[in-house]
Structures are given as C-alpha cells and as structure tokens.
C-alpha cells in the first residue's frame, strides 16, 4: 500500500464568517469542523496530517494536539497553492501520495476519499480529484473538460468566461497527488488571476501540461461539496450533519419520534430501543443505554451516562452524572454532578443543588431511593440505599446525619 499523507488547508482569514475565532474551530453538531476532516483522513489510512494554519493558529493547535498531526505556519495568506507549498520542508523527500483537503469542509465522507484513492491507483494517474455536480455552482471553481471528457483544468469562479460560468461540475477541493508531481507543479504557479493569489487549482493544468495524467471523478454528493464560508453555511452544514447523525442512530435501533425537532450531538452514543421524544437536546459526550425514554423537552449535557431503562421526562436537565438502570425523573428536575443508584425515583421539580457559589459538589444517591416532589438535595451529599425523602424537603448532609437509623429508612413518615 502506498504511503499516504494529507495536507489540510486551514490558514485563511474568514472575513465572511465575521469571527475572531479560527474558522475551522466553529462547531458543527458539537465538534469543530476540522475534527471531521481529520477523522476522514484517518479512516482512509493517512498516517500524517499537515494542517496549514495562520489566522488564530494557537487556538487551533491547542484544541487538536495529537501525534499524527503536524502544524505548518503560513504567515501570509497568499493563496491555496502557497499554503500547500508551506509544507514543502516536511514533504520534499516523500515518495507517497498526498491528499489535499480544506479544513472548512466538515461534510466530507471517508467513503468519498476511498473512491478517490481507488480511482487514482486504478488509473495510475499523477493527480486525481473528486468533483461534484451542482444545480447552483456559484462560487466554486469549475471543471473544464475537452470534447472527449478529458479534464483540462479548473477555472475559479471569478476568472470564468460566460460559457464557463454555466458549467455545473465543480471542484469541492478533494485532491490526491503523487507527492513529487505536486511539489514540482506548485513551484510553477503564478498569481495571474483576478485575486492575484497563488491558486492550487492551477496545479492541475500545469501537471497536464507536463504530460502527466490527471483524472477527475464525479464522486462527491451535492451536500458533501459544501464548504463553510459563512454563518449561514455553518447552519446548513449543521442541519445536514444532524440528519446524518440521526440516520445512523435510527439504523442502530433508536426511535427518534420527530427528527426535525430533536438535536443530538455527534459525540452522543445511544442504545437500542431507546426512544427520543420531540424537543430533546443532547449536547456533548453523552451515553444512553438501551430501552430508555428521553423527553419530550429533555436537556442532556456533557458527561451524562444513562444505563438501561432510564426514563427522563419533560424539562429534565442532566449534566455530568451517572444514572443506573431504571432511574426515573419524569418532570422538571435538575441532576448535576450526581450518581443515582438503580431504580431511584426523582419526583417532580426535585433538584440537586450542586453549586455552592464557589465550587461544584457531588451528590451520590444509593439504589432504590424515593425522592418526593420539590426536594432540594444540597451537595456534597451521600444518600444510602433505600432512603425515602419527603416532598418539599431541603436535604443537607447534616440533616441526614442527624436522623436515627430508623427514621432514615423513611423520612417521609
Ligand atoms: C477553493 C478553490 C475552489 C473550490 C473551493 C471549494 C482554490 C483557488 N479555489 O475556493 O476551486 O471550488 O475551494 O470549497 O483553491 N487557505 C489557506 N491559505 C490561503 C488561502 C486559503 O490555508 O492562503 C485555506 C482556507 O482557510 C480554506 C481553504 O484554503 O480552508 C480554501 O480557501 P478559500 O479561500 O475558502 O477558497 P475558495 O474561494 O472557497
Ligand atoms: Ca472555501
């Protein structure tokens, strides 16, 4: 198998996003855009990713520090070809294949990269790109082919003739190059275009010009082609990603009653035969077991672990807590930084008071406890197995300790 590296372009200042943050850190369904691109690369056997950063570089590095990722600084954003050339120091002796992708394309699919790689190897080409056909090709580089369908080059939107503007086949920036050919072609690129930038897209015509084989394969779905250049596109990409996340969950046996009115983070895991009722919002790393019933209007946050057959109803919020099998909190509860044993019942409007104004404290509740309605559990708090807490009780550790063993069994009586 050929050795495979990837260059991911992420240095651009994103004026249309109107942001102080690096564009690739903006989140799609809870994960930064760049995370999806890196994962797709890993899935197709890329062993080293060179991420070209410039604007807000430090923010990006901190967020994505990992062994297989190398950060390459592009001080001045002179164009996509210039960005790729910034990696030359690392790749000058590399004889393998180099993928070039954009960090602002979170909808990328590993299977498309696989098609790209297979085509490249089957055709023994020097450069292969995956293209998309769009009803509205505005803004994208157009793929120019000759009368026989052979690829001739890419023309950027702003440099297109009237005829070229009508071309619907576009460049979503999914490229695979034989590394040596790429580096040679980059050296020859000049900023002879409307924007006076060094365009990576010019590398293709250059490579064809030197007699090497270039192949374009129409392998990118319309939705996958979308690069995120604005907040509006960010929201569109999130919608598409949300549909994908829910699709996978449904295939895995999760019922989502109303997909359009449910939001589930890309990092969430949900077990078979769990039912997600409408207006449920699941954010962060959340793990839900089998046979649970969640919502309507439930809000599950980072660090929530629900074992099996847990029932959480309307306006119940859970954060950083583990709920064992059979826990029920059907109405208006807040459960934060807690563990709840098997079959605990949390009555309507009962909450954990986990924050004392200075720090967050934990609440640990044993198996089979019954907590009535409107109880306030003041953390830090340990409640042993089988305890009943009367409705309306304000429970502190002190008040629990003062109870005799007998009364402790049933505080509600
Ligand atoms: C680019 C392609 C275009 C394609 C489109 C797909 C070129 C010249 N054009 O256009 O054919 O249809 O992507 O989305 O390549 N970047 C750098 N350094 C730079 C300039 C850009 O790292 O100096 C990065 C950006 O952060 C971004 C990516 O390269 O992640 C693409 O740049 P962008 O300005 O978004 O290019 P497009 O105009 O979208
Ligand atoms: Ca773009």
């Amino acid at each position: 198998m050929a050795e495979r590296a990837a260059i991911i372009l992420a240095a651009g200042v994103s004026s249309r996003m109107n942001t102080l943050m690096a564009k690739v850190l903006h989140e799609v369904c809870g994960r930064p855009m760049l995370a999806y691109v890196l994962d797709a690369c890993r899935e197709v056997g890329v062993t080293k990713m060179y991420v070209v950063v410039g604007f807000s570089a430090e923010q990006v590095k901190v967020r994505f520090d990992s062994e297989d990722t190398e950060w390459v600084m592009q001080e001045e954003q002179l164009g996509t070809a210039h960005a790729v050339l910034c990696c030359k120091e690392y790749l000058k002796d590399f004889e393998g294949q180099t993928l070039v992708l954009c960090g602002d394309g979170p909808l990328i699919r590993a299977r498309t990269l696989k098609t790209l790689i297979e085509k490249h190897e089957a055709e023994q080409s020097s450069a292969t790109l995956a293209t998309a056909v769009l009803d509205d090709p505005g803004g994208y580089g157009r793929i120019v082919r000759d009368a026989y369908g052979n690829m001739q080059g890419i023309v950027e939107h702003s440099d297109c003739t009237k005829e070229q503007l009508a071309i619907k086949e576009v460049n979503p920036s999914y490229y695979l190059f034989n590394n040596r050919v790429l580096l040679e072609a980059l050296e020859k690129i000049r900023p002879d275009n409307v924007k006076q930038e060094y365009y990576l897209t010019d590398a293709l015509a250059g490579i064809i010009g030197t007699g090497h084989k270039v192949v374009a394969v129409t392998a990118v779905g319309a939705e996958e082609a979308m690069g995120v250049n604005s907040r509006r596109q960010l929201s569109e990409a999130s919608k598409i990603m949300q549909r994908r996340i829910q699709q996978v969950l449904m295939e895995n046996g999760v019922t989502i009653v109303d997909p359009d009115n449910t939001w589930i983070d890309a990092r969430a895991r949900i077990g078979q035969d769990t039912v997600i009722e409408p207006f449920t919002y699941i954010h962060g790393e959340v793990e839900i077991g089998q046979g649970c019933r969640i919502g309507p209007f439930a809000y599950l946050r980072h660090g929530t672990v629900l074992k099996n057959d847990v029932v959480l109803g309307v306006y119940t919020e859970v954060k950083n807590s583990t709920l064992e099998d059979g826990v029920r909190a059907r109405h208006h509860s807040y459960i934060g930084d807690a563990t709840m044993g098997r079959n605990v019942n949390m009555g309507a409007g009962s909450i954990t008071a986990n924050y004392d104004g200075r720090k967050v404290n934990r609440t640990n509740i044993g198996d089979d406890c019954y907590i009535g309605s409107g109880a306030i559990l003041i953390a830090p708090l340990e409640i042993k197995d089988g305890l009943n807490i009367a409705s309306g009780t304000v429970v502190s550790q002190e008040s629990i300790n003062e109870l005799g063993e007998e009364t402790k069994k049933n505080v509600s009586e």
Side-chain angles (χ1 to χ4, degrees):
M1 204 178 75
E3 232 197 308
R4 201 166 294 136
I7 295 173
I8 295 158
L9 307 183
V13 186
S14 181
S15 46
R16 275 177 290 168
M17 285 290 279
N18 192 4
T19 177
L20 298 174
M21 225 163 88
K23 177 162 78 170
V24 293
L25 289 185
H26 283 268
E27 289 178 0
V28 169
C29 296
R31 299 182 77 207
M33 291 196 262
L34 180 59
Y36 294 97
V37 183
L38 295 174
D39 277 358
C41 289
R42 290 182 181 118
E43 259 187 72
V44 297
V46 171
T47 46
K48 196 90 196 177
M49 277 96 67
Y50 300 91
V51 185
V52 183
V53 287
F55 181 70
S56 303
E58 281 311 313
Q59 294 176 350
V60 189
K61 288 187 204 174
V62 169
R63 186 82 187 249
F64 284 97
D65 192 27
S66 90
E67 283 279 303
D68 58 1
T69 316
E70 190 79 58
W71 304 102
V72 181
M73 196 62 195
Q74 185 191 25
E75 297 289 351
E76 251 187 304
Q77 280 75 58
L78 303 177
T80 45
H82 179 261
V84 175
L85 207 46
C86 290
C87 303
K88 188 177 160 189
E89 270 314 295
Y90 297 93
L91 289 166
K92 59 181 192 294
D93 299 319
F94 180 58
E95 294 292 342
Q97 301 172 343
T98 302
L99 267 172
V100 180
L101 302 166
C102 290
D104 64 354
L107 296 169
I108 189 167
R109 285 184 187 274
R111 67 170 189 238
T112 307
L113 294 182
K114 225 173 180 168
T115 306
L116 177 65
I117 291 162
E118 282 164 9
K119 188 78 178 170
H120 186 80
E121 292 179 348
E123 297 270 348
Q124 300 198 328
S125 57
S126 294
T128 307
L129 54 151
T131 66
V133 175
L134 302 184
D135 288 336
D136 176 14
Y140 290 89
R142 308 296 206 279
I143 308 297
V144 180
R145 294 179 185 262
D146 67 15
Y148 303 99
N150 296 316
M151 153 125 189
Q152 290 183 304
I154 303 173
V155 182
E156 285 307 290
H157 181 100
S158 49
D159 297 302
C160 277
T161 62
K162 210 163 153 244
E163 289 71 33
Q164 287 168 335
L165 283 175
I167 297 173
K168 291 195 171 347
E169 188 180 13
V170 303
N171 167 37
S173 294
Y174 288 35
Y175 316 85
L176 183 61
F177 296 93
N178 288 352
N179 185 64
R180 187 157 293 283
V181 174
L182 170 64
L183 293 185
E184 277 167 23
L186 288 177
E187 302 282 359
K188 296 182 196 146
I189 292 173
R190 293 288 163 261
D192 302 329
N193 50 59
V194 173
K195 290 191 184 161
Q196 300 193 317
E197 284 184 8
Y198 293 85
Y199 284 166
L200 175 60
T201 43
D202 287 347
L204 287 311
I207 292 170
I208 295 167
T210 51
H212 290 92
K213 186 169 180 180
V214 174
V215 171
V217 51
T218 317
V220 182
E223 59 160 57
E224 198 188 339
M226 192 171 91
V228 174
N229 300 311
S230 64
R231 306 265 178 176
R232 155 141 233 116
Q233 287 174 328
L234 183 70
S235 76
E236 284 164 10
S238 295
K239 262 243 144 66
I240 294 167
M241 190 66 79
Q242 185 55 219
R243 272 206 298 274
R244 286 187 192 174
I245 291 165
Q246 294 192 12
Q247 185 62 34
V248 171
L249 289 169
M250 290 191 271
E251 280 160 16
N252 292 344
V254 176
T255 294
I256 300 171
V257 175
D258 184 358
D260 287 340
N261 291 304
T262 301
W263 196 97
I264 302 173
D265 195 288
R267 295 163 293 177
R269 301 282 166 268
I270 307 180
Q272 198 178 27
D273 290 326
T274 282
V275 178
I276 308 290
E277 301 277 6
F279 304 103
T280 292
Y281 182 43
I282 298 174
H283 184 261
E285 272 171 41
V286 169
E287 223 178 282
I288 302 174
Q290 298 183 348
C292 297
R293 185 165 278 270
I294 311 298
F297 297 99
Y299 179 26
L300 306 189
R301 293 163 55 197
H302 201 69
T304 295
V305 177
L306 309 181
K307 299 296 175 62
N308 301 326
D309 306 311
V310 171
V311 181
L312 300 180
V314 64
Y315 300 125
T316 293
E317 173 180 346
V318 185
K319 167 220 150 192
N320 194 28
S321 295
T322 298
L323 277 50
E324 294 295 335
D325 292 358
V327 168
R328 294 176 312 284
R330 290 183 197 269
H331 332 266
H332 300 260
S333 281
Y334 172 58
I335 299 166
D337 305 283
T339 58
M340 288 180 139
R342 299 164 71 94
N343 302 319
V344 168
N345 182 90
M346 184 93 161
S350 292
I351 63 155
T352 54
N354 59 333
Y355 183 57
D356 62 13
R358 273 164 302 145
K359 60 183 195 315
V360 164
N361 302 301
R362 294 204 64 89
T363 301
N364 298 317
I365 303 173
D367 293 343
D368 303 308
C369 287
Y370 174 87
I371 297 155
S373 297
I376 298 177
L377 310 179
I378 302 174
L381 187 63
E382 295 279 338
I383 298 180
K384 297 234 170 66
D385 293 352
L387 198 68
N388 285 359
I389 306 260
S391 292
T393 316
V394 176
V395 186
S396 63
Q397 194 66 57
E398 221 177 9
S399 66
I400 289 258
N401 293 345
E402 277 169 9
L403 295 171
E405 275 311 313
E406 272 316 295
T407 34
K408 235 186 234 184
K409 272 281 164 226
N410 199 340
V411 185
S412 63
E413 283 170 11

